[in-house]
């Protein structure tokens, strides 16, 4: 299983959607949520033009691995592009961390997904989820509350998620803001990923 497939399959486990359906150019996930009815995960920008012209129903998402310029060139006016994201991978045990004083960590779940919540006193401070698909840990929904950032809590979340999953290989999709944190933890960028969607209510 390559990094792209591992991320797609693990994301579906994490979000409790139906399993991804293989397509000639990638995968389809029938998400079924308002504003996010279906998503197509495309392996290359060459597939964007055909998909953008044929699946542009409201609530449809495309996420494409590859160059932003090439992806945007294939979109029709119905699509709203989002900020570039980054498919990242890691091999090996997570670096050790120290839980800051006054913080506690709770791990819940019994597989194939687990959640970690870091609290500062009684207040939630940072959280995340990991799902295992095909032996690869897919990290998802990693976030730290603004008032608790720059305390190392993101590192704590990632470490505890990795321990819970028990997998030495991991993948995730990072925002531009999160990419620096993951690089500092030894993750590497595999590919840019460009999102676009057709909003609900669009003509």
């Amino acid at each position: 299983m390559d990094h792209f497939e591992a991320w797609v399959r693990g994301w579906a486990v994490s979000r409790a959607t139906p399993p991804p359906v293989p397509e000639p150019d990638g995968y389809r996930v029938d998400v079924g949520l308002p504003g996010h009815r279906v998503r197509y995960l495309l392996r290359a920008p060459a597939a964007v033009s055909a998909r953008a012209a044929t699946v542009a129903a409201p609530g449809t998402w495309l996420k494409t691995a590859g160059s932003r310029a090439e992806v945007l060139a294939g979109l029709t006016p119905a699509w709203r592009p989002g900020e570039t994201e980054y498919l990242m991978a890691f091999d090996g045990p997570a670096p050790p961390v120290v839980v800051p004083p006054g913080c506690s960590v709770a791990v819940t779940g019994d597989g194939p997904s687990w959640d970690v919540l870091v609290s500062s006193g009684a207040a939630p401070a940072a959280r995340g989820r990991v799902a295992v698909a095909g032996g690869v840990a897919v990290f998802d929904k990693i976030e730290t509350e603004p008032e608790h950032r720059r305390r190392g809590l993101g590192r704590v979340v990632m470490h505890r998620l990795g321990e819970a999953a028990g997998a030495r290989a991991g993948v995730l999709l990072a925002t531009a803001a999160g990419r620096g944190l993951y690089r500092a933890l030894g993750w590497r960028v595999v590919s840019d990923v460009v999102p676009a969607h057709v909003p609900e209510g669009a003509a």
Side-chain angles (χ1 to χ4, degrees):
M1 187 184 303
D2 62 24
H3 295 118
F4 186 83
E5 180 182 356
W7 164 60
V8 172
R9 295 192 179 282
W11 185 90
V13 173
S14 174
R15 303 300 177 100
T17 71
V21 178
E23 299 271 352
D25 50 7
Y27 298 89
R28 186 188 81 245
V29 180
D30 297 313
V31 181
L33 296 175
H36 196 164
R37 307 296 178 177
V38 60
R39 65 160 49 189
Y40 292 88
L41 296 310
L42 307 180
R43 287 185 173 275
V48 172
S49 180
R51 288 293 185 180
T54 57
V55 300
T60 300
W61 283 75
L62 297 178
K63 290 210 173 189
T64 308
S67 157
R68 182 176 183 86
E70 291 180 274
V71 172
L72 297 186
L75 296 175
T76 67
W79 295 88
R80 305 279 179 85
E83 295 296 322
T84 301
E85 300 167 317
Y86 304 91
L87 182 62
M88 304 185 74
F90 180 82
D91 297 299
V97 297
V98 176
V99 179
C103 291
S104 59
V105 182
V107 182
T108 56
D110 54 5
S113 64
W114 295 262
D115 291 284
V116 165
L117 174 65
V118 179
S119 299
S120 181
R127 61 183 57 81
R129 176 175 294 169
V130 66
V132 175
V136 180
V138 178
F139 294 73
D140 189 27
K141 296 187 172 184
I142 312 298
E143 70 175 307
T144 301
E145 299 296 332
E147 64 271 25
H148 294 288
R149 291 173 184 167
R150 301 189 182 280
R151 299 178 61 195
L153 301 186
R155 293 173 178 261
V156 173
V157 169
M158 294 295 290
H159 184 267
R160 292 299 175 86
L161 289 173
E163 282 188 332
R168 293 184 64 86
V171 295
L172 57 78
L173 190 66
T175 63
R179 179 179 51 173
L181 165 66
Y182 304 125
R183 277 181 165 164
L185 296 176
W187 291 69
R188 67 186 187 280
V189 174
V190 175
S191 175
D192 291 2
V193 174
V194 182
H197 75 289
V198 180
E200 294 273 34

